[in-house]
Amino acid sequence: MKNRSEKKRLDGNSFLLAVTIILFFVMYIAGIIMFGGRGFAKVQNFLNLFISNAGLIVVATGMTIVMITGGIDISVGSVVAMVCMMLAWMMERGNIGAFPAILIVLATGCIFGLVQGFLVAYLKIQPFIVTLAGMFFARGMTSIISQEMISITNKTFTGIATFKMYLPFGGYLYPSVIIALVVLAIVFVVLKYTKFGRSIYAIGGNEQSALLLGLNVRRIKLQAYVLDGFLAGLGGLLFCMNTCSGFVEQAKGFEMDAIASSVIGGTLLTGGVGNVIGSLFGVLIKGTIESFITFQGTLSSWWVRITIAALLCFFIVLQSLIAALKRKNK
C-alpha cells in the first residue's frame, strides 16, 4: 500500500492537473462566447490548436520528463532551430533525401541529449549551466550551417507535411499532430506503468532515497536526458513540418514555452511531480491565448507572453501553497 505522504503527493498532483484542465475549458468556452460569430466555435479552430503546436507538445513532453527528475533543459528551442536548419540544408543544398535527413536529425537530438545527460548525471554539473551551454552551441551551429533562410521544396517532405487527414465529425489534421499525440500517449504509459517511469519520479522526489532503494540514479538521469534530446529533435521535425523552412532566429523562446506549459500543467520545478497530460493542456492554454489575440485583432502579440507570465506566476504560487500545506500536515 502507498504510504500517506505518497497519497498526498498524488492528491496534490491530481489537483494541479484538474485546475489546468478546468482553466483550459473555461478559457475556450469564454472564447466561443466572445468570438463565436467570427468562427471561434468551428471544429477546425479547435483542431488548429494542435496543428500549430504539434512540435511544442512533443518538446514539452520531453521537458516534463527532465523536470520530474529535478532537472531542466533550456537548450530545446535552439535544438529545434538547428534541426529545422539541418533539414532544410540537407534536402535543399546537400541533395539528401527526406527520410535520411529525418533520421540524421533524430540521431543528432539523441547525441545532444547524451552529451548533456552525461555532464549532468556523471559529472554532476548543474542542468541549467549544461543546457545553457547547449543552447548557445545549438543556436551557433544553426548560423554556421546557414545565415540565410532556406525554404524546403522537397516533394516528399512537403507532401508528408501538408497531407490532410479529414475527420468524420469535420475538420482535418496533419500527420504532425498524429505523431505528437502518439508520442504523448507512449510517454504517458512509460511514466505511469514502467519501472523507468517510476524511477524518474523517485529520483525527482528524493535522490538520496532513490539511491537507498538501489536505483542507478546516474544511468536513469542519463536516459532521461537522451529521451529529452530525442523528443527535442522530433519536436524540431514537427515544427519544421509546419514551417517548411529553416532560419537562424527560428523557435526563439521555444524553451520557455515548453517550461511554462509543463509548469502550468502541474509539473513541479523541484521535481518528483508532473504529468504529460497536464503539459498537453498547458500547450493548449497557450494556443487558446494566441487564438484570443488573433480573433480580437487589435491587441499586440506580446499579450500572449504577458498572459503566460501571469499564469506561470499563479501556478508557481499554487504549487508553493500546496507544498506548504503538505509540510504543515506532516
Side-chain angles (χ1 to χ4, degrees):
M1 292 180 65
K2 296 180 176 71
N3 58 40
R4 185 178 299 176
S5 62
E6 187 176 355
K7 286 182 180 179
K8 288 177 182 177
R9 180 182 67 82
L10 292 173
D11 290 342
N13 190 15
S14 299
F15 176 74
L16 290 170
L17 178 60
V19 170
T20 303
I21 295 173
I22 291 169
L23 177 62
F24 166 69
F25 282 109
V26 168
M27 290 178 65
Y28 202 82
I29 291 169
I32 292 174
I33 294 170
M34 291 188 295
F35 307 115
R38 303 183 195 178
F40 196 96
K42 290 182 178 178
V43 172
Q44 190 56 51
N45 183 62
F46 178 74
L47 297 177
N48 286 342
L49 295 179
F50 294 87
I51 292 173
S52 59
N53 292 291
L56 182 57
I57 290 171
V58 173
V59 173
T61 299
M63 184 68 71
T64 301
I65 293 170
V66 296
M67 287 178 67
I68 291 172
T69 67
I72 201 164
D73 186 356
I74 62 171
S75 70
V76 290
S78 298
V79 171
V80 167
M82 183 175 69
V83 164
C84 290
M85 185 65 83
M86 287 176 66
L87 285 168
W89 189 91
M90 284 188 288
M91 286 186 279
E92 299 303 317
R93 306 279 176 84
N95 296 318
I96 297 174
F99 292 111
I102 289 171
L103 291 175
I104 289 170
V105 297
L106 293 179
T108 300
C110 289
I111 294 170
F112 210 87
L114 179 65
V115 172
Q116 293 193 142
F118 177 80
L119 295 174
V120 170
Y122 286 86
L123 298 187
K124 303 292 184 182
I125 305 175
Q126 286 291 327
F128 181 84
I129 299 300
V130 170
T131 57
L132 178 66
M135 179 181 74
F136 290 140
F137 177 82
R139 189 67 66 174
M141 286 301 299
T142 304
S143 63
I144 286 176
I145 295 169
S146 176
Q147 294 186 13
E148 299 176 353
M149 178 178 174
I150 304 176
S151 297
I152 298 175
T153 59
N154 181 283
K155 291 183 178 179
T156 301
F157 187 85
T158 56
I160 296 171
T162 58
F163 179 75
K164 290 183 178 180
M165 295 175 286
Y166 290 92
L167 303 177
F169 52 82
Y172 60 85
L173 290 173
Y174 292 120
S176 58
V177 178
I178 305 302
I179 295 170
L181 295 180
V182 168
V183 168
L184 183 84
I186 292 172
V187 174
F188 174 79
V189 171
V190 168
L191 289 177
K192 190 171 180 65
Y193 298 107
T194 68
K195 181 181 177 181
F196 173 68
R198 291 190 294 270
S199 298
I200 286 177
Y201 281 103
I203 290 169
N206 191 314
E207 190 170 316
Q208 293 302 317
S209 296
L211 284 168
L212 293 174
L213 288 172
L215 296 178
N216 190 329
V217 172
R218 293 188 297 181
R219 186 183 67 192
I220 294 167
K221 276 190 176 182
L222 176 64
Q223 291 171 343
Y225 276 90
V226 171
L227 181 55
D228 172 57
F230 170 77
L231 293 176
L234 180 58
L237 168 62
L238 302 186
F239 188 90
C240 192
M241 289 172 72
N242 272 348
T243 62
C244 286
S245 65
F247 57 95
V248 176
E249 297 299 312
Q250 204 164 23
K252 270 209 165 181
F254 208 69
E255 61 281 346
M256 298 307 164
D257 289 337
I259 294 170
S261 297
S262 297
V263 173
I264 292 171
T267 303
L268 293 183
L269 292 168
T270 52
V273 173
N275 191 309
V276 293
I277 302 299
S279 300
L280 168 65
F281 278 95
V283 172
L284 295 180
I285 286 172
K286 172 186 172 292
T288 301
I289 296 169
E290 289 174 339
S291 293
F292 282 176
I293 302 300
T294 301
F295 277 90
Q296 202 279 333
T298 60
L299 291 174
S300 167
S301 60
W302 284 105
W303 278 102
V304 176
R305 299 294 182 190
I306 294 169
T307 309
I308 291 294
L311 286 174
L312 195 57
C313 291
F314 168 75
F315 277 92
I316 290 173
V317 170
L318 189 61
Q319 289 177 5
S320 299
L321 290 174
I322 291 173
L325 287 173
K326 286 180 181 179
R327 289 193 296 269
K328 184 179 179 181
N329 292 329
K330 280 185 178 179

